[in-house]
Amino acid sequence: MNVIKKSLLNTLGYNFIPPDFLPKGKDEYYLRNEQNKNGIRYRQLTAYEIEVLVRNRNTSDDWNKILVSDAFNPELVQHCKFYGLVRIGKLEPYYLEFHNLKRPVGLYNSTIISCDFGDNVVVDNVNYLSHYITGSDVMLVNINEIATTDHAKFGNGFLKEGENENIRIWLEVCNENGGRKIIPFNGMLPGDAWLWTQFRDDDVLMNKLKSFTDKQSDKRRGYYGVIGDRTVIKNCRIVKDVNIGSDAYLKGANKIKNVTINSSAEAKSQVGEGCELVNGIIGYGCRIFYGVKAVRFFLASHSQLKYGARLINSYLGDNSTISCCEVLNSLIFPAHEQHHNNSFLCASLIQGQSNMAAGATIGSNHNSRSPDGELVAGRGFWPGLCVSLKHNSKFASYAILAKGDYPSELNIPIPFALISNDVHNNQLTVMPGYWFLYNMYALARNSWKYIDRDKRINKTQPLEFNFLAPDTINEIVDSLALLQQFTGKAWLLQQGLRKKITTEEAITAGKQLLENNDPVVNTLVITAEGFANSRRPVRIIKVLQSYQLFKKLVALYAAQQLVEHIRVTHPKNIAQLQESLPGSVALSAWSNAGGQLIRQSEIEKLIKHGHAGRVKSWNDIHAFYQEQGNNYNREQLVHAMAALKTVQSISLKRATPEVLHALLSQSIDTREWIDKGIYESRAKDYKNPFRKMVYNSQESMEKVVGKLSENAFIKQEQKSLLAYKKELQQLMSKLKLTGKTVIA
């Protein structure tokens, strides 16, 4: 049976805060007065103003409860019902216009309960407006209900006085069973979500993070909803317990409940037709429109949900777009793209710069008795058309999967790899370094476009978009050892060695073959172990090419970091340069903490400081991100030096001028090779007869897709290469670096 409460009409608009939760000596407006900072001085109505209001068919339970500014015009208030304390700012004989919506300033045809208004607002045909503080130049038109309850939390996972823990809002990210759930709060960064999900065995840390979140909350009941200056809300049905920043635009939404919509003049947010948003936080500069359904969600800044997208129990990082598909129980780092109606993503940690193709089904197949599987993918994850993956699976950075139904769990630790389900030969095929060998244009352009599209205002966490960075370099270094092991084992087996081959024996044999660039490697059938939970073989192809490529990439990375260091320090000679370099270097592990790369040892130190009480709040953790960002260039230089020493046995601190010359010269050669690859991989699209056949002529094709010679990105990269070559030639001349030593 529905419980319908009956109360006296003269109490409507009063007693917003239940007596049990009203502090001693405070009235029900004390929080409202704290929130309202518009600076307007309100006064009571004059007898003449009351007369005009009555004549214009307005009613109030108590005209003494209607307060107005000195510039109030009663003629601009018509057919309204007022209950409780209502404060109205300046009303002047203007009309406001936004996107062809033109309405006169004033309050018309509305029921208004205990609200504050700034100057020159438009409130027209709002059936129920209750307990809101509205800024100036706001337009509220054709709204069924816009109201705030005394226990509103505006999408945060907080509890108010008297509420039980079981009603707290959690986001059950990464795993459908809730084992990695986190409490959302306004201002939560991707790194915060990652930190909370990853160390579940650390009870002390988990309790600390929960307490940090609770410290951010105000348990007091009675906060009003806020609508910021110049916000426009029109043709919406239900807006309940929603905080809205300035310059937002809401049109045609069905329901928005328990949500914060961050918006500002510099980063305007929009919610459009048919959307239903419940229990969420929306970052600055976001756009949500055309039938989106989002429940228990966090949408970080400058991201988009559109065309019927469904986002449930998930965190979507900054600068991302999801449309026409379903995403459940996932933690997604910044720069994620998912556009197709028939793609599906569930119970996954996707570490950014990712793209989901049409038909991709990521994480729907659980391989246990319970829906508790997970998938983890490094940066640049790209499952192709109709890819279907099983839980649990894990992928290194820039993994691309060819079309297919992958029948078993996968663990692919090699980066930049093309993974193919070879049904004909009943095997899984892995091609390391695919992007550099066959699709350099897409790889390079993606790094550039993510930097170009990073519109965040809050850059507390500096994001890494370069495809050569500590995470990918570490994966490359580990992959070199794996390629040595797999190659050596294949060669020893080919030699007829039947005894048990140790890992050390395989690595020794494989390293000799690969370092000598022995063509015999191309004749071997090289297989991997531990890449798939299956008896099918996993074949590694293009091993010799990818091995040499990976070594060049490590050298290029080291050269780039060295050049960046020289740009900052301006050494006059080699002695000064090497004196400025770090002394002892060791290859360190790194973590992708929400798109920001941080040394694992620093994460561990942060956790220890949390245990010891030295980290006391999320603000302290955010300060840690900033500190790590400030140290990133120096730490990256140390890492690059360590990687070069590990792979090439070169110490930059003690390298001869000839070795430094060779390193920088080789970096130019590698950059030239990359630049050539960018051009040639794009040129294929212009030479492919199956692409050209739909056009009447070459000119027609160029009108549609543009001229290759005028490709802005290619021209930009060519210009960047010329600048790099010129800079290095000047640098080597200044430092007197000469020689012909070639780095292997």
Side-chain angles (χ1 to χ4, degrees):
M1 182 175 70
N2 289 342
V3 178
I4 307 295
K5 295 182 180 179
K6 293 180 181 178
S7 303
L8 294 174
L9 183 59
N10 62 9
T11 63
L12 179 57
Y14 302 98
N15 303 316
F16 181 58
I17 304 174
D20 291 347
F21 303 108
L22 191 62
K24 187 176 180 179
K26 301 288 186 180
D27 62 23
E28 64 170 299
Y29 307 120
Y30 82 103
L31 289 176
R32 173 181 176 178
N33 293 332
E34 289 179 14
Q35 288 181 272
N36 190 340
K37 301 183 185 300
N38 60 23
I40 298 173
R41 298 184 66 179
Y42 297 104
R43 60 170 175 80
Q44 289 192 319
L45 294 167
T46 66
Y48 169 75
E49 288 169 335
I50 295 173
E51 180 183 345
V52 173
L53 290 170
V54 172
R55 188 181 69 223
N56 288 340
R57 297 182 178 275
N58 299 290
T59 64
S60 172
D61 65 298
D62 184 352
W63 289 112
N64 291 323
K65 294 294 186 180
I66 308 298
L67 304 181
V68 298
S69 76
D70 285 336
F72 171 74
N73 185 342
E75 295 288 357
L76 303 181
V77 181
Q78 301 173 12
H79 297 91
C80 290
K81 298 176 183 178
F82 296 100
Y83 299 93
L85 176 64
V86 177
R87 300 187 286 205
I88 306 170
K90 183 189 301 182
L91 295 181
E92 299 177 297
Y94 299 117
Y95 73 85
L96 303 186
E97 179 179 357
F98 184 79
H99 289 193
N100 272 351
L101 174 68
K102 302 175 184 179
R103 285 291 192 276
V105 164
L107 284 60
Y108 307 96
N109 309 302
S110 300
T111 297
I112 299 169
I113 301 173
S114 194
C115 291
D116 289 348
F117 298 97
D119 291 332
N120 290 323
V121 299
V122 172
V123 178
D124 192 352
N125 197 32
V126 179
N127 293 337
Y128 186 81
L129 174 57
S130 172
H131 296 93
Y132 259 88
I133 298 171
T134 299
S136 297
D137 300 316
V138 167
M139 300 179 71
L140 307 178
V141 179
N142 297 335
I143 304 168
N144 283 4
E145 176 186 349
I146 178 165
T148 305
T149 61
D150 72 284
H151 53 273
K153 292 168 280 291
F154 309 109
N156 295 283
F158 304 151
L159 294 177
K160 292 295 184 179
E161 292 175 290
E163 291 185 329
N164 293 323
E165 182 67 32
N166 60 8
I167 72 163
R168 187 191 292 271
I169 298 297
W170 295 79
L171 301 187
E172 297 177 354
V173 297
C174 297
N175 196 306
E176 287 182 89
N177 73 353
R180 296 190 189 271
K181 64 184 180 179
I182 60 177
I183 302 174
F185 61 89
N186 194 24
M188 174 181 264
L189 299 175
D192 303 337
W194 173 83
L195 189 67
W196 206 331
T197 61
Q198 292 307 295
F199 302 95
R200 305 308 286 201
D201 56 335
D202 189 335
D203 292 337
V204 175
L205 176 64
M206 294 300 102
N207 290 331
K208 290 281 185 181
L209 298 182
K210 186 173 182 291
S211 71
F212 294 168
T213 306
D214 283 336
K215 282 180 185 177
Q216 302 235 140
S217 68
D218 188 333
K219 296 184 181 299
R220 294 178 297 175
R221 292 180 178 237
Y223 278 96
Y224 279 38
V226 174
I227 300 172
D229 295 342
R230 300 173 301 281
T231 282
V232 177
I233 306 176
K234 70 175 186 180
N235 303 326
C236 293
R237 295 181 60 194
I238 299 172
V239 179
K240 187 172 183 179
D241 289 351
V242 180
N243 261 351
I244 306 168
S246 72
D247 301 277
Y249 184 28
L250 283 62
K251 56 175 180 173
N254 289 339
K255 182 176 184 178
I256 308 175
K257 181 180 178 182
N258 191 31
V259 172
T260 289
I261 302 175
N262 290 291
S263 182
S264 68
E266 299 77 24
K268 298 180 283 189
S269 292
Q270 297 183 19
V271 179
E273 293 82 353
C275 293
E276 294 165 9
L277 315 174
V278 179
N279 300 337
I281 295 173
I282 299 169
Y284 288 94
C286 289
R287 300 182 67 200
I288 305 173
F289 49 91
Y290 303 141
V292 166
K293 316 297 180 189
V295 181
R296 296 190 182 225
F297 67 97
F298 195 112
L299 188 65
S301 67
H302 296 282
S303 290
Q304 299 185 73
L305 299 176
K306 54 186 180 178
Y307 307 138
R310 284 170 286 174
L311 182 69
I312 300 169
N313 261 318
S314 296
Y315 185 110
L316 180 64
D318 310 78
N319 307 308
S320 298
T321 299
I322 292 179
S323 62
C324 319
C325 62
E326 184 171 5
V327 175
L328 309 174
N329 303 94
S330 292
L331 171 54
I332 304 170
F333 290 177
H336 174 79
E337 302 288 327
Q338 191 167 348
H339 300 286
H340 303 283
N341 191 43
N342 52 349
S343 64
F344 177 79
L345 176 63
C346 181
S348 298
L349 170 59
I350 307 296
Q351 295 181 345
Q353 296 166 256
S354 39
N355 196 312
M356 302 289 165
T361 305
I362 308 304
S364 66
N365 296 322
H366 295 283
N367 222 22
S368 69
R369 300 331 186 251
S370 175
D372 56 4
E374 300 179 16
L375 181 142
V376 178
R379 289 193 295 137
F381 181 56
W382 196 318
L385 294 171
C386 300
V387 161
S388 178
L389 295 173
K390 265 194 175 178
H391 286 135
N392 291 342
S393 288
K394 188 174 183 180
F395 299 91
S397 303
Y398 294 94
I400 180 169
L401 289 97
K403 177 179 180 179
D405 182 4
Y406 292 81
S408 58
E409 304 98 313
L410 302 178
N411 181 17
I412 310 297
I414 298 177
F416 306 106
L418 171 66
I419 301 140
S420 305
N421 186 28
D422 187 348
V423 178
H424 179 73
N425 293 306
N426 192 31
Q427 66 182 17
L428 185 73
T429 302
V430 177
M431 183 195 301
Y434 160 80
W435 291 99
F436 296 94
L437 299 174
Y438 296 103
N439 205 351
M440 193 66 239
Y441 178 87
L443 180 64
R445 184 178 178 276
N446 281 354
S447 287
W448 165 80
K449 80 176 183 182
Y450 291 130
I451 296 171
D452 186 61
R453 295 176 184 177
D454 185 7
K455 297 186 173 99
R456 294 174 302 148
I457 295 173
N458 177 6
K459 294 189 176 182
T460 299
Q461 286 201 268
L463 304 178
E464 179 60 88
F465 296 122
N466 199 314
F467 53 78
L468 294 182
D471 56 344
T472 55
I473 292 297
N474 278 354
E475 291 170 343
I476 284 174
V477 172
D478 292 341
S479 296
L480 289 171
L482 289 174
L483 294 178
Q484 291 169 357
Q485 177 186 340
F486 300 150
T487 301
K489 184 175 181 180
W491 185 79
L492 291 172
L493 288 173
Q494 189 188 66
Q495 302 309 301
L497 189 64
R498 297 302 176 194
K499 70 170 187 175
K500 184 177 180 181
I501 301 169
T502 66
T503 300
E504 291 74 19
E505 289 172 333
I507 289 176
T508 300
K511 184 174 183 179
Q512 184 174 0
L513 292 169
L514 292 167
E515 290 291 337
N516 293 329
N517 212 12
D518 195 324
V520 73
V521 174
N522 293 326
T523 68
L524 300 175
V525 177
I526 300 173
T527 58
E529 299 172 1
F531 281 28
N533 186 19
S534 170
R535 294 181 180 178
R536 293 194 312 163
V538 178
R539 185 171 181 185
I540 313 295
I541 61 174
K542 305 285 185 181
V543 172
L544 196 57
Q545 283 178 269
S546 59
Y547 186 85
Q548 301 303 329
L549 164 66
F550 281 172
K551 290 184 65 180
K552 287 181 180 179
L553 293 177
V554 171
L556 174 62
Y557 172 66
Q560 289 175 334
Q561 298 308 314
L562 180 62
V563 170
E564 182 61 32
H565 176 70
I566 293 171
R567 288 175 185 148
V568 174
T569 57
H570 306 291
K572 295 180 180 179
N573 50 51
I574 295 177
Q576 279 191 5
L577 169 61
Q578 294 187 318
E579 178 67 25
S580 68
L581 292 173
S584 60
V585 295
L587 197 62
S588 55
W590 289 66
S591 295
N592 184 343
Q596 179 181 3
L597 301 184
I598 302 175
R599 281 197 300 139
Q600 198 166 300
S601 59
E602 293 299 313
I603 297 288
E604 292 168 357
K605 189 185 299 182
L606 172 72
I607 293 172
K608 287 181 181 178
H609 288 171
H611 285 197
R614 295 172 61 183
V615 175
K616 303 178 185 299
S617 68
W618 283 113
N619 287 338
D620 289 344
I621 293 176
H622 294 177
F624 165 79
Y625 298 148
Q626 291 179 313
E627 179 186 7
Q628 293 305 309
N630 294 336
N631 297 336
Y632 183 57
N633 288 343
R634 182 73 175 178
E635 296 289 355
Q636 202 173 11
L637 173 65
V638 172
H639 179 264
M641 292 173 63
L644 185 67
K645 188 174 182 181
T646 301
V647 173
Q648 304 279 19
S649 299
I650 295 173
S651 169
L652 289 181
K653 185 78 171 175
R654 294 188 293 273
T656 65
E658 291 78 15
V659 170
L660 291 175
H661 177 272
L663 177 69
L664 297 178
S665 297
Q666 187 190 77
S667 76
I668 293 175
D669 293 341
T670 305
R671 282 285 304 267
E672 288 178 332
W673 174 79
I674 288 175
D675 191 70
K676 182 181 178 183
I678 290 171
Y679 178 85
E680 290 182 346
S681 61
R682 181 58 175 151
K684 291 177 186 177
D685 295 333
Y686 287 79
K687 297 174 183 177
N688 187 333
F690 287 89
R691 286 180 62 88
K692 296 172 70 173
M693 68 184 180
V694 298
Y695 304 103
N696 297 327
S697 64
Q698 180 75 17
E699 291 75 18
S700 177
M701 182 178 76
E702 289 176 347
K703 285 288 186 182
V704 175
V705 300
K707 292 183 179 180
L708 179 62
S709 61
E710 296 177 358
N711 184 289
F713 176 69
I714 291 176
K715 291 170 73 173
Q716 173 188 296
E717 289 301 295
Q718 291 171 342
K719 185 178 179 180
S720 175
L721 173 62
L722 290 174
Y724 184 75
K725 289 170 67 174
K726 182 179 180 180
E727 180 184 16
L728 260 64
Q729 287 163 358
Q730 292 174 345
L731 187 154
M732 288 189 285
S733 174
K734 176 184 176 182
L735 298 179
K736 296 182 173 56
L737 297 178
T738 59
K740 297 182 180 180
T741 304
V742 177
I743 295 177

